[in-house]
Amino acid sequence: QVQLVESGGGLVKPGGSLRLSCAASGFTFSDYYMSWIRQAPGKGLEWVSYISSSGSTIYYADSVKGRFTISRDNAKNSLYLQMNSLRAEDTAVYYCARPRLDMFSGSPNDAFDIWGQGTMVTVSS
Amino acid sequence: AIQLTQSPSSLSASVGDRVTITCRASQGISSALAWYQQKPGKAPKLLIYDASSLESGVPSRFSGSGSGTDFTLTISSLQPEDFATYYCQQFNSYQLTFGGGTKVEIK
């Protein structure tokens, strides 16, 4: 079945780095734009970053620009988020998410119909 | 970035009640709006896309309406499994944004 599975979360000190991974299965990963979305404990959802199907177009939220890097490996059906210079306010559950439509069917911007289970990132000394 | 303001931030309702949640965008977003349901410890679940289209498998008691800047999610008859937090999300611009959420609690 269609599935996204995140990994790589954990406890890291302020200023540290972490790399998150998202393994996709059950669909043609290379046909979809992908996003990372996060949720701080007890808070709402915040979109973090977006990457086009080929990786040629990338956008970031202002809160992570210059510190986080999104990438993908279509041969491995995997999405990544490299997080550097981490701050306490980056503490959150990080979800990867797939839009409802593939790159051939609609706009790159769309609602997300497939979400991973999330991976927790805690930034604390 | 486009801001989304949801109201109310929380509400108490009984099983069988009709519930309405609103989402207002800081600028026009046409119909590029989605609604999600999230239960504790779980990922969000898509309910409505394109402002009023019901996602496959979602019960018909959920409906969405609106365009431009004002949107509404309605649950026609609240069921026990509907107690959760609901979020709107706009996808009119590449800077995707979510509303602050509405927690629906049992009265």
Side-chain angles (χ1 to χ4, degrees), chain A residues 39 47 59 100 109 112, chain B residues 36 38 49 87 91 94-95:
Chain A
Q39 186 170 35
W47 169 80
Y59 295 116
R100 199 175 51 86
N109 298 331
F112 300 108
Chain B
Y36 299 87
Q38 187 179 33
Y49 61 92
Y87 294 94
F91 47 93
Y94 71 86
Q95 289 274 358

Side-chain angles (χ1 to χ4, degrees), chain A residues 32-122:
Chain A
Y32 287 84
Y33 301 80
M34 296 293 295
S35 282
W36 286 99
I37 294 159
R38 69 184 181 183
Q39 186 170 35
K43 303 296 185 183
L45 299 163
E46 180 189 17
W47 169 80
V48 172
S49 183
Y50 147 114
I51 186 168
S52 64
S53 52
S54 66
S56 60
T57 300
I58 287 171
Y59 295 116
Y60 297 100
D62 291 342
S63 58
V64 306
K65 201 174 296 182
R67 301 186 299 121
F68 289 12
T69 302
I70 191 172
S71 63
R72 65 191 297 161
D73 184 336
N74 287 339
K76 294 183 178 180
N77 291 331
S78 293
L79 177 72
Y80 305 102
L81 187 67
Q82 176 67 44
M83 304 185 294
N84 298 331
S85 302
L86 282 161
R87 307 166 179 167
E89 55 265 35
D90 295 319
T91 294
V93 174
Y94 284 73
Y95 296 101
C96 60
R98 191 201 80 171
R100 199 175 51 86
L101 299 177
D102 64 25
M103 59 183 280
F104 306 107
S105 303
S107 161
N109 298 331
D110 200 353
F112 300 108
D113 66 340
I114 305 297
W115 297 64
Q117 85 287 355
T119 187
M120 182 71 203
V121 172
T122 303

